[in-house]
Amino acid sequence: MTVVGTDVRSGGGRRVRGGLWWPALVNLLLGVPAMVPLFLARWLLVEYLPMDCRTVAEATRPGLTHCNYSTLDHADGVMFLLAVSGLLVLVLVAVVDVLLPLRRRGRLGWWLGAAGLLPAPFATALALA
């Protein structure tokens, strides 16, 4: 979407990219790779944290009602992948939503406001599942 605006310095009309559509679309597209760390964080919250044990040695204690060996086996890998993918997505979002608009003298508020759309693809996939 392009908007014809007036350039104050030259006094003439110039084409300016405007509107909230471009930041919203870019942030929705950034939400697709952001689904990986969001899914991993959800797995940790739903599967790992409610368990009564944190190690295999604790799993042999009597009276445990909620201890799953496969969840214990996968927890370390999931935490590592969450840290790596989460860091990559945070760097990507910082570059796209902060550094590029500042460099181009864009509307930083629109880009930061549209960053709220990042979890939308994950929420949509979760609702459809």
Side-chain angles (χ1 to χ4, degrees):
M1 177 175 157
T2 56
V3 177
V4 177
T6 304
D7 189 2
V8 177
R9 291 170 283 181
S10 66
R14 67 178 176 107
R15 295 184 73 88
V16 179
R17 236 182 227 183
L20 191 56
W21 290 104
W22 186 246
L25 179 65
V26 169
N27 279 294
L28 282 174
L29 290 175
L30 282 177
V32 174
M35 289 174 72
V36 173
L38 288 171
F39 172 76
L40 295 173
R42 181 187 174 277
W43 185 88
L44 282 174
L45 289 172
V46 172
E47 298 291 329
Y48 182 70
L49 287 180
M51 286 194 335
D52 294 334
C53 59
R54 296 289 177 245
T55 63
V56 177
E58 289 180 1
T60 59
R61 287 186 308 172
L64 291 178
T65 58
H66 185 63
C67 189
N68 189 346
Y69 289 108
S70 64
T71 302
L72 286 174
D73 287 341
H74 295 135
D76 294 333
V78 168
M79 287 183 218
F80 175 75
L81 288 175
L82 175 61
V84 171
S85 64
L87 183 65
L88 288 174
V89 168
L90 281 176
V91 167
L92 188 63
V93 168
V95 167
V96 170
D97 284 338
V98 177
L99 295 178
L100 290 179
L102 284 177
R103 185 172 180 221
R104 294 185 201 159
R105 296 184 183 150
R107 295 184 183 241
L108 184 63
W110 284 5
W111 285 90
L112 291 177
L117 293 173
L118 282 169
F122 176 73
T124 303
L126 196 60
L128 293 176

